[in-house]
Amino acid sequence: MQTERLTNTPAHIARAASLLRAGECVAVPTETVYGLAANALDVAAVAKIFAAKGRPADNPLIVHVLCVEDMMPLVKELPECVKRLASPLAYVTEQNTLRTPQGYKRLPKSVAFFPGPLSVILPKSAAVPDIVSGGLDTVALRIPAHPLARAVLREAGIPLAAPSANRSGSPSPTCAGHVLDDMDGKIAAVLDGGECSIGVESTVLSLAGDVPELLRPGAVTAEQLREVLGEVRISSAVLSDLSDGETAASPGMKYRHYAPKTPVVLLRDSSESYAAWCGANDCMALCFAEDAQYLRVPCFCYGGREDYDAQARLLFDGLRTLDESGFAPLIAAHAPEPIGVGLAVYNRLLRAAGFRILDV
Ligand code: TXA
Ligand code: MG
């Protein structure tokens, strides 16, 4: 199959939408990472996502919609708190815009996580095929903010199932080049929207139990969610591996994830000790800007030590770039503090490293 290269033009957006309506897979940019989209209501189309990614059938997909109203047919019932995450007044219709009786109004950023980098898990309706939910009776829903993702959703007029557009297990794609590295020839098209502004996948929040539970950390932090929802539990799987016999709240957490071909090890220490460890081992460094002056090995700086937003944005590109360079047989990643967006970066690195952490 020849993978069409599409760009941000009305004709190409229409092409992406028509391929999707015809049951094909198209990689689409979102503000988090690129997603591999297909019609969520078409079992054969969704099967193509699993085939292209090599994704295990029991790992469910996130369904993307334009607004809260479009969530309704996909769930048993929409809890009141979802409306609070979107807005105190009405439903989000356009990017960060509310429709109120007085007309359209921009939302204050702090109350609106929809549209944005947040996915919520709710009991699903019969409209959602089992293949989408990996056999679970819940479904993950997200309202992306990226203008191209929204344009495609609007044109296509269907809910889009979309996991990250990488081969299963490898780092998520944050630009069209990453998508093509993994998916060229396997999918109908990729819509190039440049680099993703956030760079790590959405926060996954389960609203299916009695207390909201954070299953995957992202750019919407637990602290921000608590301001709106009150109590929010953090799943033990965010920072630790599953013990034997334990079942995953989120099936994706049991698989090797985000990992380049080169093994990764995680270090938490001062710049000097980190650089000294790197110097004594045959490795490449995924490092902080502060480390560079001490390092004598090939390195990729993914942001300042406390610049968690930059680290999130550059993490997957750094892992992919070091992997491709082949300069050394090991990637030594300098791990951020697991706070704020740093928790999302730390969580991805832990999985990329198969939970190998060294305290130097
Ligand atoms: O930012 C994102 O979320 C990106 C963009 C494309 O939207 N998508 C993404 O999808 O990261 P994916 O498939 O790579 O990750 C979805 C995660 C997996 O860990 C999966 O197990 C979990 O969400 N998940 C999906 N549905 C679930 C459900 N019903 N219950 C529990 N976990 C679920
Ligand atoms: Mg993924």
Side-chain angles (χ1 to χ4, degrees):
M1 173 185 294
Q2 183 117 22
T3 301
E4 292 178 34
R5 272 74 165 162
L6 306 175
T7 55
N8 184 6
T9 65
H12 281 184
I13 291 166
R15 175 68 183 154
S18 92
L19 285 167
L20 288 164
R21 274 196 308 268
E24 294 299 334
C25 288
V26 177
V28 174
T30 82
E31 69 276 27
T32 55
V33 300
Y34 275 69
L36 184 55
N39 182 352
L41 306 178
D42 177 344
V43 172
V46 174
K48 291 180 187 171
I49 296 179
F50 283 90
K53 280 182 62 84
R55 183 174 176 109
D58 67 349
N59 193 1
L61 308 178
I62 297 174
V63 179
H64 298 66
V65 293
L66 259 185
C67 60
V68 174
E69 276 143 331
D70 292 350
M71 288 181 167
M72 287 177 180
L74 305 174
V75 298
K76 280 227 170 82
E77 134 180 63
L78 205 66
E80 176 273 335
C81 67
V82 168
K83 297 166 194 171
R84 257 188 292 148
L85 289 168
S87 117
L89 297 169
Y91 299 148
V92 175
T93 53
E94 286 302 311
Q95 186 181 350
N96 280 331
T97 310
L98 279 181
R99 195 171 52 212
T100 67
Q102 290 75 38
Y104 288 89
K105 192 168 137 188
R106 272 200 87 70
L107 283 176
K109 257 252 137 50
S110 59
V111 292
F113 300 124
F114 293 143
L118 175 67
S119 300
V120 290
I121 292 173
L122 291 166
K124 78 178 183 82
S125 75
V128 180
D130 284 341
I131 186 173
V132 170
S133 57
L136 299 175
D137 52 12
T138 52
V139 63
L141 298 173
R142 165 153 133 76
I143 301 176
H146 195 291
L148 268 180
R150 298 186 65 75
V152 170
L153 276 167
R154 203 175 297 117
E155 265 302 302
I158 43 177
L160 295 175
S164 50
N166 51 283
R167 254 184 302 107
S168 189
S170 71
S172 295
T174 56
C175 65
H178 293 165
V179 175
L180 288 168
D181 286 345
D182 283 16
M183 293 293 160
D184 200 8
K186 295 184 187 157
I187 59 175
V190 55
L191 181 56
D192 190 341
E195 280 165 29
C196 300
S197 59
I198 292 175
V200 291
E201 307 84 345
S202 61
T203 302
V204 176
L205 179 73
S206 173
L207 297 173
D210 17 317
V211 177
E213 185 174 26
L214 190 115
L215 301 183
R216 180 176 73 182
V220 173
T221 64
E223 296 79 8
Q224 289 174 316
L225 290 169
R226 285 187 185 121
E227 279 175 28
V228 179
L229 300 175
E231 187 183 358
V232 174
R233 219 172 17 223
I234 298 187
S235 163
S236 59
V238 166
L239 286 177
S240 60
D241 210 352
L242 287 177
S243 32
D244 282 347
E246 205 178 334
T247 51
S250 182
M253 291 190 292
K254 74 183 175 208
Y255 296 106
R256 188 176 140 91
H257 237 130
Y258 316 117
K261 290 173 216 92
T262 314
V264 180
V265 59
L266 219 58
L267 289 96
R268 300 184 63 176
D269 215 320
S270 67
S271 288
E272 290 90 333
S273 327
Y274 168 72
W277 190 91
C278 290
N281 292 273
D282 187 12
C283 69
M284 309 177 269
L286 180 69
C287 65
F288 301 140
E290 293 86 339
D291 305 334
Q293 58 173 317
Y294 303 104
L295 280 166
R296 297 289 172 269
V297 298
C299 64
F300 184 107
C301 285
Y302 74 133
R305 183 181 272 274
E306 279 164 30
D307 190 352
Y308 306 127
D309 291 340
Q311 293 164 20
R313 198 166 57 244
L314 295 173
L315 172 68
F316 292 136
D317 189 39
L319 289 173
R320 282 176 179 261
T321 304
L322 289 172
D323 201 24
E324 265 160 42
S325 79
F327 282 133
L330 180 69
I331 295 171
H334 207 170
E337 292 302 318
I339 50 175
V341 180
L343 179 63
V345 177
Y346 190 79
N347 165 274
R348 305 309 189 273
L349 276 173
L350 264 180
R351 281 167 176 75
F355 294 88
R356 279 184 307 274
I357 314 168
L358 295 181
D359 275 310
V360 196

